[in-house]
């Protein structure tokens, strides 16, 4: 290290020969915070002022080059110097600046590299402009500089999808690509020395001119149309296309202004707030407070799954995908064979789509074995039961596991509604019992609700949270109550959808309103897909809690009693042509609703879309408030993660609790009170605002303020 080594905040500076080395060193991910921006300017100025320095290399001292702008700064404050100013200083520097892109460069991190005069990286690296996932667009020149180095289509793809891209596919962007990550900095220094020795020009991306020929024009028109269809409901993708187009239609300087204008338009939207909230929500879910510091996770090298049906099979696939052997238990060999054959079919389908090679299919199948004998579970580290949702059945299974599983094995239930503490009472080691609630299809859905029982040990919780990451799920820790977080909140949503049908709304009107709000499907289509008999079965087990409301899901009950179990029987809330999943409105269902409404003395009327939305979504939020107050969820953002990843709640609304914060809690509370008054006895019973909602609304606070 040279004598002149210095630190400018989180930026390190030293020289090696004629080259000044500027190292980004802001753990964990080199987010370009105000301190980093100031440090970069100061160190560049230091190098420019030193006559013995002839070139600059900008590199990272961390594995990542940079994760881009510091997202936590987006909520405000004095942000000067802004990132575009920093990049302007670098681009206009009078000495050549080489970026040594040692690791991933995302968002502002890639924009920083694009503002340098040359870029060196290694062939295993990936870079990207993921701003669109935060509801914004690259706002530090990324939309103007990237198309000047890559072609228009590549730039559009990267900016509109936000997907990380291998540097190998970005020939025009990088000037030199080495094989190994650890060679990158040395190669960049060599490159800088060569630029100086060979008197190569300072290559400023801003000097490149682009032309907007007919072919490019056509590309943008087609792209804009495609994006509108593919990203329905999202605001930022369309703006991304407009910003990239400006690189072709404007001068560099004007293009930057246009980018900045479009960036600010995005930044001001509720969607940007929602998506940025969600970015942190997802990460915060993995931080579980209250666990003892010394706690260590247990190792999970072999897993048992009880039940080889659709759920059990899906669960098993997660572990096989992560390279963990699984033994699946069924009572009958035939059911076991069927389950394993179904898994094979799933993998073969992925292979047909090119997502897996045939060798990978075989590797994964080799990790899966079957048994009809509980004794085969003696050596597993974790066992997950996915059997029939009935307490007596679950307790019997846990009793059997208690006898055969080794000490320290984690005994998990995939129950979606039942009392985990009661299940744990069936074993002599309740500290090893936890709920691992997968969502269907279990090999696809990202959510894992991790249910902590009264006696669950800290290391069992920690192991489960870590395991979620291993199998590429987002684990959220919740407490025990009927339906836990997700299904408990979906109950009032389904109840209101059904009641609205009695009051005169059609299933297709309700589904249209919910679809427009952004969920992938409305409650009636969802019910038909899941099977109406499933909801009926849950209601049967809870008749005592709903007996006071004679209107409770009566139409759904009637449909099931008539054998209309949904998609699988070709008839549910809708009709289905054989082999088709397209719901067809059925006047018979409307007639049943009318008949039931008359019987119950409910006057049918025209119902506005706004009422449908509020009556489905606000009671769900109200239930979330109770869940938060009771500590079933530790924080409102955990509920949001559960809803986005488990129920398809639109990420551009940030989840139900963030949506409520955005609407304003006093507004949500007022509307609940309105329905409480206007819907008679029904309203009085179901629309009472939760205590927490009242408290927060009175104090002008949000759910996110509850810590
Ligand atoms: C942008 O650049 C805008 C510009 O175009 C224009 C500006 C004018 N900021 O994900 P991890 C935190 S927008 C602040 O668990 P991994 C994260 O919250 C930015 N914090 O690690 C977590 O904190 P905690 C565009 C950030 O290894 C910790 O770092 N860039 C940022 O699994 C570790 O994160 C992006 O959208 C940030 N930019 O994944 C990239 N990034 O430990 C966003 C991370 O307290 N970042 N943190 O929970 C990522 O995609 C991933 O973090 C990354 C690493 C792949 C980089």
């Amino acid at each position: 290290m040279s004598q002149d080594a210095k630190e400018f905040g989180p930026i390190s500076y030293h020289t090696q020969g004629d080259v000044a080395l500027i190292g980004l060193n802001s753990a964990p991910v080199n987010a370009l915070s105000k301190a980093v921006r100031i440090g970069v300017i100061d160190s560049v100025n230091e190098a420019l002022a030193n006559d013995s320095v002839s070139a600059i290399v900008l590199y990272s001292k961390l594995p990542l080059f940079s994760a881009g702008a510091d997202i936590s700064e987006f909520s405000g404050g004095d942000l000067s110097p802004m990132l575009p100013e920093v990049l302007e200083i670098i681009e206009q520097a009078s000495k050549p600046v080489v970026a040594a892109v040692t690791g991933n460069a995302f968002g502002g991190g890639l924009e920083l590299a694009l503002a340098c005069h040359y870029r060196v990286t290694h062939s295993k690296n990936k870079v990207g402009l993921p701003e669109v996932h935060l509801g914004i667009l690259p706002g530090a020149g990324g939309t103007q500089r990237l198309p000047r180095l890559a072609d228009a289509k590549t730039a559009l793809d990267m900016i509109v999808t936000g997907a990380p891209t291998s540097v190998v596919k970005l020939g025009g962007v990088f000037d030199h690509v080495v094989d190994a990550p650890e060679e990158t900095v040395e190669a960049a220094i060599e490159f800088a020395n060569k630029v100086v020795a060979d008197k190569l020009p300072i290559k400023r991306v801003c000097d490149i001119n682009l032309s907007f020929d007919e072919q490019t024009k056509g590309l943008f028109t087609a792209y804009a149309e495609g994006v509108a269809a593919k990203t329905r409901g999202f605001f930022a993708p369309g703006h991304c296309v407009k910003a990239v187009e400006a690189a072709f239609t404007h001068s560099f300087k004007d293009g930057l202004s246009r980018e900045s204008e479009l960036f600010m338009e995005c930044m001001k939207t509720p969607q940007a707030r929602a998506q940025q909230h969600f970015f942190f929500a997802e990460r915060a879910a993995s931080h579980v407070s209250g666990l003892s510091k010394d706690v260590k996770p247990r190792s999970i090298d072999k897993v048992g799954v009880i039940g080889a049906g659709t759920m059990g099979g899906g669960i098993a696939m997660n572990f096989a995908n992560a390279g963990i052997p699984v033994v699946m238990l069924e009572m009958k060999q035939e059911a076991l064979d069927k389950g394993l054959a179904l898994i094979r079919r799933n993998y073969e389908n992925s292979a047909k789509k090119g997502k897996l090679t045939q060798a990978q299919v075989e590797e994964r199948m080799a990790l899966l074995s079957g048994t009809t004998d509980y004794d085969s579970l003696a050596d597993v580290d974790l066992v997950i039961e996915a059997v029939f949702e009935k307490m007596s059945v679950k307790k019997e299974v846990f009793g059997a596991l208690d006898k055969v599983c080794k000490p320290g094995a984690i005994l998990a239930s995939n129950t979606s509604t039942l009392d985990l503490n009661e299940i744990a009472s069936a074993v002599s080691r309740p500290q090893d019992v936890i709920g691992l609630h997968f969502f269907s299809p279990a090999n696809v859905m990202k959510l894992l609700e991790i249910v902590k029982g009264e006696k669950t040990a800290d290391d069992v919780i920690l192991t489960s949270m870590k395991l979620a990451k291993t199998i590429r799920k987002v684990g959220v820790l919740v407490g025990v109550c009927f339906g836990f977080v997700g299904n408990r909140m979906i109950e009032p949503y389904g109840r209101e959808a059904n009641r609205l049908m009695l009051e005169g709304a059609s299933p297709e009107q309700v589904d249209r309103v919910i679809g427009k709000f952004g969920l992938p499907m409305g409650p009636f289509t969802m019910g038909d897909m899941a099977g109406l008999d499933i909801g009926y079965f849950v209601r049967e087990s809870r008749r005592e809690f709903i007996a006071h409301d004679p209107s409770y899901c009566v139409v759904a009950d009637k449909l099931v009693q008539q054998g209309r179990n949904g998609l699988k029987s070709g008839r549910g809330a809708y009709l289905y042509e054989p082999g088709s999943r397209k719901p067809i409105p059925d006047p018979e269902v409307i007639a049943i609703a009318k008949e039931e409404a008359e019987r119950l003395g409910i006057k049918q009327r025209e119902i506005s879309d706004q009422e449908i939305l509020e009556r489905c979504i606000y009671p769900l939020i109200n239930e979330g408030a109770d869940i938060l107050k009771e500590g079933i969820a530790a924080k409102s953002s955990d509920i949001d993660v559960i809803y986005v990843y488990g129920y398809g709640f639109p990420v551009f609304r940030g989840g139900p609790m963030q949506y409520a914060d955005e609407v304003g809690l006093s507004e949500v509370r007022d509307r609940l009170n309105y329905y409480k008054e206007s819907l008679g006895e029904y309203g009085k019973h179901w629309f009472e605002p939760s205590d927490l909602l009242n408290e927060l609304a009175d104090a002008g606070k949000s759910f996110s303020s509850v810590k």
Side-chain angles (χ1 to χ4, degrees):
M1 180 99 26
S2 60
Q3 296 274 310
D4 59 353
K6 286 188 186 149
E7 279 178 4
F8 294 96
I11 306 300
S12 75
Y13 176 94
H14 70 281
T15 55
Q16 184 173 319
D18 291 351
V19 178
L21 282 144
I22 296 176
L24 305 176
N25 192 17
S26 182
V29 293
N30 275 336
L32 303 170
S33 62
K34 183 174 169 127
V36 170
R37 298 194 298 274
I38 292 173
V40 169
I41 292 182
D42 289 348
S43 49
V44 168
N45 284 337
E46 173 83 14
L48 294 179
N50 185 343
D51 289 343
S52 59
V53 167
S54 45
I56 299 169
V57 166
L58 188 70
Y59 72 108
S60 163
K61 298 190 89 168
L62 307 177
L64 222 83
F65 181 74
S66 164
D70 186 339
I71 303 163
S72 65
E73 286 182 348
F74 287 175
S75 45
D78 172 14
L79 297 181
S80 61
M82 305 284 276
L83 190 56
E85 287 171 52
V86 182
L87 304 199
E88 164 90 3
I89 290 170
I90 292 175
E91 191 165 54
Q92 293 309 322
S94 53
K95 297 178 184 175
V97 185
V98 180
V101 187
T102 32
N104 294 158
F106 294 131
L110 178 57
E111 290 175 300
L112 173 62
L114 294 175
C116 295
H117 306 133
Y118 295 95
R119 282 153 295 280
V120 174
T121 190
H122 61 86
S123 57
K124 292 169 194 75
N125 204 6
K126 282 189 174 178
V127 298
L129 291 170
E131 285 87 342
V132 70
H133 298 307
L134 301 167
I136 53 173
L137 49 87
T143 66
Q144 304 306 297
R145 290 192 180 94
L146 186 61
R148 284 177 158 78
L149 292 173
D151 59 280
K153 168 87 170 50
T154 304
L156 276 169
D157 284 348
M158 282 180 71
I159 292 169
V160 171
T161 67
T165 306
S166 163
V167 295
V168 177
K169 294 189 182 150
L170 297 173
V173 176
F174 291 92
D175 301 276
H176 185 50
V177 181
V178 294
D179 288 335
E182 60 280 6
E183 292 165 12
T184 316
V185 177
E186 272 314 308
I189 297 170
E190 239 173 73
F191 195 94
N193 281 322
K194 186 171 153 54
V195 170
V196 175
D198 296 356
K199 297 199 171 49
L200 297 179
I202 287 181
K203 269 178 38 186
R204 296 189 175 94
V205 178
C206 62
D207 293 337
I208 300 171
N209 288 316
L210 293 174
S211 71
F212 200 44
D213 56 28
E214 283 309 311
Q215 201 186 343
T216 315
K217 230 183 247 177
L219 171 74
F220 275 94
T221 311
Y223 212 96
E225 279 166 18
V227 163
K230 271 194 225 142
T231 59
R232 192 176 64 91
F234 285 87
F235 182 79
H239 266 44
C240 288
V241 180
K242 286 183 196 158
V244 180
E245 189 171 321
F248 293 85
T249 54
H250 293 56
S251 68
F252 181 76
K253 187 165 163 279
D254 291 347
L256 276 187
S257 308
R258 178 76 179 130
E259 177 193 82
S260 162
E261 192 179 281
L262 292 164
F263 175 83
M264 285 318 295
E265 279 176 25
C266 288
M267 197 57 128
K268 284 185 193 144
T269 59
Q271 289 202 359
R273 288 191 287 278
Q275 289 180 256
Q276 288 155 27
H277 155 82
F278 195 75
F279 174 84
F280 289 115
E282 187 178 345
R283 281 149 184 89
S286 65
H287 301 308
V288 172
S289 59
L291 296 185
S292 142
K293 279 227 162 52
D294 319 316
V295 66
K296 298 260 179 322
R298 300 183 189 179
S299 45
I300 305 292
D301 299 318
K302 187 172 179 187
V303 173
V305 174
I306 304 183
T310 318
M311 199 50 162
I315 293 173
M317 286 173 78
N318 287 301
F319 294 98
N321 295 348
I324 301 173
V326 185
V327 51
M328 296 173 72
L329 181 129
E330 262 293 351
M331 290 300 96
K332 294 206 173 95
Q333 187 64 38
E334 198 192 344
L336 195 55
D337 293 344
K338 215 170 130 195
L340 285 163
L342 180 66
I343 296 178
R344 176 170 280 282
R345 215 172 321 133
N346 274 338
Y347 280 139
E348 301 276 0
N349 282 341
S350 300
K352 271 189 208 135
K353 289 182 196 146
K355 291 183 186 160
L356 288 181
T357 61
Q358 195 55 40
Q360 283 170 320
V361 172
E362 298 311 327
E363 257 168 42
R364 289 176 196 197
M365 285 309 296
L367 289 167
L368 295 160
S369 60
T371 182
T372 53
D373 181 1
Y374 267 94
D375 286 344
S376 310
L377 299 177
D379 64 343
V380 298
D381 303 301
L382 160 71
V383 58
I384 305 169
E385 68 73 18
V387 300
F388 193 58
E389 189 76 351
K390 197 166 177 193
M391 185 55 86
S392 55
V393 180
K394 302 266 184 199
K395 281 171 106 170
E396 204 177 301
V397 167
F398 272 74
L401 291 177
D402 198 24
K403 289 199 188 87
V404 298
C405 288
K406 66 183 180 188
I410 296 178
L411 312 180
S413 171
N414 179 49
T415 180
S416 54
T417 50
L418 299 176
D419 181 348
L420 187 80
N421 295 324
E422 194 180 337
I423 296 177
S425 72
V427 300
S428 60
R429 35 177 152 172
Q431 73 280 2
D432 294 336
V433 175
I434 196 158
L436 294 180
H437 179 207
F438 289 79
F439 285 68
S440 185
N443 54 318
V444 176
M445 297 295 283
K446 271 194 94 168
L447 178 64
L448 183 63
E449 255 185 347
I450 298 177
V451 188
K452 169 184 182 296
E454 256 164 26
K455 297 186 177 154
T456 310
D458 279 5
D459 64 343
V460 173
I461 295 172
L462 186 69
T463 310
S464 303
M465 294 300 296
K466 275 194 65 160
L467 194 65
K469 276 206 171 140
T470 309
I471 60 171
R472 310 182 79 153
K473 303 267 179 223
V474 178
V476 184
L477 189 66
V478 301
V480 175
C481 64
F482 179 82
F484 315 118
V485 171
N487 284 344
R488 175 167 157 188
M489 284 169 69
I490 208 75
E491 187 270 334
Y493 167 83
R495 179 196 72 221
E496 278 314 299
N498 273 281
R499 169 77 189 202
L500 284 159
M501 186 164 45
L502 275 181
E503 291 179 28
S506 64
E508 52 278 22
Q509 187 191 1
V510 175
D511 282 358
R512 179 179 47 74
V513 170
I514 296 300
K516 200 164 158 228
F517 179 72
L519 275 102
M521 64 184 89
F524 292 103
T525 312
M526 186 174 89
D528 273 2
M529 276 186 73
L532 293 185
D533 49 332
I534 306 283
Y536 183 81
F537 175 73
V538 175
R539 287 194 294 282
E540 281 296 278
S541 67
R542 289 175 60 79
R543 287 288 172 210
E544 60 189 293
F545 300 105
I546 51 183
H548 61 83
D549 176 6
S551 73
Y552 193 97
C553 292
V554 277
V555 178
D557 284 352
K558 268 260 141 69
L559 294 177
V560 174
Q561 283 151 11
Q562 292 180 8
R564 303 183 62 131
N565 287 338
L567 181 61
K568 61 189 168 192
S569 55
R571 298 179 330 145
Y574 295 101
L575 287 175
Y576 300 87
E577 301 276 10
S580 161
R581 299 164 83 86
K582 188 170 177 270
I584 303 167
D586 185 357
E588 224 178 84
V589 174
I590 305 289
I592 296 173
K594 192 157 181 266
E595 211 175 278
E596 286 301 306
E598 273 165 17
R599 183 177 68 77
L600 293 162
I602 296 167
K603 199 167 168 298
Q604 290 205 322
R605 65 194 160 94
E606 201 147 289
I607 300 179
S608 72
D609 288 358
Q610 184 64 19
E611 176 170 348
I612 290 175
L613 185 67
E614 290 175 350
R615 283 185 54 189
C616 289
I617 302 293
Y618 289 0
L620 177 150
I621 291 166
N622 202 34
E623 196 67 41
D626 275 344
I627 282 172
L628 201 53
K629 176 94 177 171
E630 291 164 25
I632 299 294
K635 42 197 181 300
S636 67
S637 61
D638 284 353
I639 301 178
D640 288 335
V641 173
I642 288 173
Y643 259 79
V644 169
Y645 282 139
Y647 297 83
F649 203 92
V651 68
F652 61 73
R653 301 206 187 268
M657 308 313 270
Q658 164 69 17
Y659 174 67
D661 282 349
E662 189 69 44
V663 169
L665 296 193
S666 56
E667 167 72 9
V668 174
R669 189 251 313 259
D670 290 353
R671 295 308 291 162
L672 286 168
N673 276 329
Y674 168 78
Y675 293 117
K676 181 179 150 193
E677 295 310 320
S678 62
L679 294 173
E681 276 311 302
Y682 180 85
K684 283 195 181 50
H685 190 84
W686 294 117
F687 281 84
E688 184 65 46
S690 98
D691 289 348
L692 181 67
L693 180 59
N694 274 325
E695 273 166 40
L696 294 171
D698 285 344
K701 289 187 174 165
S702 61
F703 285 129
S704 65
S705 69
V706 181
K707 297 287 177 225

